[in-house]
Amino acid sequence: MSQFEEMQQAIIDGKAPVVKELTEQALRDGVKPAEFFPKAIVPAMNEVGRRMRDCEFFIPEVLIAARAARAATDILRPLLVGDEASRSAGTVVCCTVKGDLHDIGKNIVAMMLESAGFRIVDLGVDASPEKIVQAVQEHKANLVAMSALLTTTMVNMKAGIAALASAGLRDHVKIMVGGAPVTENWARSIGADGYGKDAPTAVDLARSLVAN
Ligand code: B1M
């Protein structure tokens, strides 16, 4: 079994200490921090999702797997982000929308944006439209990045955009959306400026949105 396959299995099995050990070992072996996401963390969580959908896993197993994935991301985060002074690409208000508690993908996107030179204002999960508006005003953000993992909460992206428009901020910020159920069509239909399929795409998109 390769290092990444071992790590995927440890995440699926919810073995946080093993994930921590494997991450540290792989880093010592010269694996680049960004490689862990496409090769271990994302495929492992996709398998967890499949098992949840097929009723092989229930919430406790999923939570334990998410905690194990976090054992890796906690180590990788400081290695991915640059120092404050080098963050000049723009300020991004980042969140998972109201009613939605999924934050693994959002955290990966935030980490990748941070490592690409963006300053991140992370509102966490369950972020209301009002909280988004307040953060954009307070931090003079030029980008809003909203994530949703539930089909039932996608509509709260639309509410976030409407709240920004009501507050007179729509022309001052670019808005990008993403998350497993989100599509390019959905993004267009709610008036977002762009859709990111995964974290690397989100970084490219953020760069192009702030450049235009
Ligand atoms: Co939930 N859950 N969950 N869950 N969960 C899903 C989303 C689900 C698809 C599982 C399934 O049925 N197969 C399903 C949704 C079905 C639907 O809406 N149609 C579901 C459900 C039903 C639920 C509950 C309702 C279950 C219940 O209580 N009965 C409940 C809802 C709670 C709530 O939010 N209010 C619930 C709870 C949970 C846990 C708390 C147990 C846990 C979350 C822990 C946490 O996040 N801290 C959890 C998990 C872990 C999942 C799955 C298994 C994995 C999600 C994940 O972390 N994926 C998920 C199944 C799945 O998606 N395959 C599932 C890995 C992550 C790296 O991918 O988040 O897609 P993702 O992010 C990607 C891209 O989408 C993109 O980049 C990331 C990196 O590549 N991306 C962006 C994400 N945001 C972006 C933003 C961007 C750009 C790109 O720009 C702004």
Side-chain angles (χ1 to χ4, degrees):
M1 223 192 246
S2 77
Q3 251 174 338
F4 288 124
E5 281 165 354
E6 256 187 88
M7 203 169 152
Q8 285 184 31
Q9 196 56 55
I11 293 173
I12 295 163
D13 295 341
K15 293 182 177 160
V18 177
V19 174
K20 181 170 181 283
E21 217 178 285
L22 289 170
T23 307
E24 287 167 345
Q25 183 56 51
L27 287 169
R28 279 197 294 275
D29 294 345
V31 173
K32 300 233 167 19
E35 278 184 74
F36 288 83
F37 297 105
K39 292 184 177 162
I41 300 169
V42 173
M45 291 312 293
N46 283 342
E47 172 60 13
V48 171
R50 192 212 42 89
R51 292 186 189 195
M52 190 180 178
R53 200 172 43 245
D54 295 346
C55 296
E56 290 170 30
F57 268 19
F58 297 95
I59 300 296
E61 288 100 328
V62 179
L63 272 175
I64 294 166
R67 193 187 58 190
R70 202 177 170 119
T73 55
D74 282 350
I75 295 171
L76 300 172
R77 188 176 183 281
L79 305 177
L80 278 166
V81 303
D83 59 48
E84 184 70 32
S86 67
R87 282 180 218 142
S88 55
T91 298
V92 190
V93 167
C94 207
C95 68
T96 302
V97 296
K98 193 169 170 54
D100 202 319
L101 303 176
H102 297 83
D103 66 357
I104 297 173
K106 183 266 296 168
N107 290 345
I108 294 174
V109 170
M111 266 188 257
M112 294 292 200
L113 286 172
E114 203 168 5
S115 67
F118 287 89
R119 194 175 145 247
I120 303 295
V121 178
D122 191 345
L123 304 182
V125 297
D126 193 23
S128 66
E130 298 74 30
K131 207 169 157 188
I132 296 170
V133 167
Q134 200 187 345
V136 168
Q137 283 167 332
E138 191 182 326
H139 299 278
K140 300 191 173 27
N142 46 354
L143 199 56
V144 172
M146 291 187 276
S147 179
L149 263 285
L150 297 173
T151 46
T152 49
T153 57
M154 285 164 69
V155 68
N156 292 331
M157 295 176 155
K158 195 174 173 183
I161 296 175
L164 287 164
S166 303
L169 294 167
R170 184 63 188 94
D171 295 338
H172 301 276
V173 284
K174 297 287 184 181
I175 300 172
M176 55 193 263
V177 293
V182 178
T183 61
E184 183 81 56
N185 275 348
W186 170 255
R188 211 170 300 125
S189 76
I190 61 171
D193 297 303
Y195 155 71
K197 171 172 75 63
D198 53 24
T201 319
V203 171
D204 290 344
L205 176 65
R207 284 195 180 119
S208 76
L209 288 176
V210 295
N212 294 312

